[in-house]
Amino acid sequence: MSAASRPTSKDVARAAGVSQAAVSLVLGGKWPGRVSAATAERVREAARTLGYRPNLAARDLRTGRTRTALLVVPTLTNEFFARVHEGAAAVAAAHGFGVLLYPSPEGTGPATDPFASAPAALDGVLASSMAAQALSGIGAGTLPLVMLDSDPATGPGTATVNLAIADGMRQAAGHLLGLGHRRLAHLAADVDSWTFEVRAAALAGSVAAVPGARLETHRCALGVAQAQAAATALLTAPGPRPTALVCDDDLLAAGACKAARRLGLRVPEELSVSGFDDLTLATAVEPELTTVTLPAEEFGARGMTALLTAVDGGSPADAELPVSLTVRGSTGPVPARR
């Protein structure tokens, strides 16, 4: 259809028997209290019948909007953040917004502003707490900001959207303690981030509440090779060997299982291993991983919904999404009870 033959807002107004101002209010979502519901529906029906689509470019020029949101994540190679982006992008697209995906250099360090002026190029920012340091270099301090996996008491954003990480770790610990394990080791991510602090505190509290149970913690970088090395050192150290390894991430759990196999230990007959995230990797290894399942797509979607509310001048509420433990073959009863 040529530009000359495309229906205009004037055509919609004529078909609906209203003014162009009323068309603008209805199609811009600003009609409540100013136009009756019946009139609003008449305008929408006229627009559908004529095949009218608003000129977003012209509207954005008038409103000063770019209809672009920035998603700041620690890495582009982690499946979890890819799924977060998928959920966020779907919500953004439904509202006519685009999403720029921006990784923080080296995962957690400050980033160089990729824009001449972030406020001029963006309408808002959605950021993972694992990449929070990048925000200081982007120069988006005046933009609406929603944080993911961030302390709601101290987070810098307009709102925080979190996963029930502490509950997830308590579910994993309760599962292992219920199987009789009393010597547990925490293979903890060596990342300075609120989400991993929460996991550590929840695990320590769960173990401390059970008489005779003890926990030792070993930190390592987020990677299979690093986890394998850390688990090997832990499992070959002098003294009683842990009967269960609780890992902060499925990559760490995969590395721990690899270390156990290299040492001749059977999983779960001689060593139970649990992960976190429920990545595709969790069902690609043998035995499949018991892990905490995180709703990554919904997480991204809820974060973007909160951000768009803030962009429109609203006050989004903090939110926490439930998580669940998925029990598979990598955990079993403590060896002494077999």
Side-chain angles (χ1 to χ4, degrees), residues 182-220:
R182 295 296 181 267
R183 295 196 305 273
L184 291 84
H186 182 198
L187 203 57
D190 192 13
V191 177
D192 183 14
S193 174
W194 178 81
T195 183
F196 292 119
E197 293 173 3
V198 168
R199 297 175 206 208
L203 176 58
S206 296
V207 174
V210 176
R214 66 182 188 184
L215 176 72
E216 56 181 306
T217 300
H218 291 256
R219 298 172 68 89
C220 71

Side-chain angles (χ1 to χ4, degrees), residues 108-266:
T108 58
T112 302
D113 190 343
F115 312 101
S117 171
L122 303 168
D123 283 334
V125 178
L126 181 62
S128 164
S129 67
M130 290 180 65
Q133 292 184 42
L135 299 177
S136 62
I138 290 176
T142 61
L143 291 169
L145 169 65
V146 170
M147 296 298 299
L148 300 174
D149 249 355
S150 180
D151 187 348
T154 61
T158 306
T160 59
V161 175
N162 287 329
L163 297 164
I165 294 296
D167 180 59
M169 186 57 90
R170 284 192 288 266
Q171 289 182 52
H175 168 66
L176 291 166
L177 292 165
L179 289 170
H181 295 277
R182 295 296 181 267
R183 295 196 305 273
L184 291 84
H186 182 198
L187 203 57
D190 192 13
V191 177
D192 183 14
S193 174
W194 178 81
T195 183
F196 292 119
E197 293 173 3
V198 168
R199 297 175 206 208
L203 176 58
S206 296
V207 174
V210 176
R214 66 182 188 184
L215 176 72
E216 56 181 306
T217 300
H218 291 256
R219 298 172 68 89
C220 71
L222 279 170
V224 173
Q226 295 89 334
Q228 180 185 348
T232 297
L234 188 157
L235 295 170
T236 57
R241 188 176 65 223
T243 61
L245 296 185
V246 185
C247 304
D248 268 349
D249 178 272
D250 289 343
L251 290 174
L252 299 184
C257 288
K258 191 172 184 178
R261 286 194 299 273
R262 294 287 177 87
L263 293 171
L265 297 174
R266 294 172 297 160

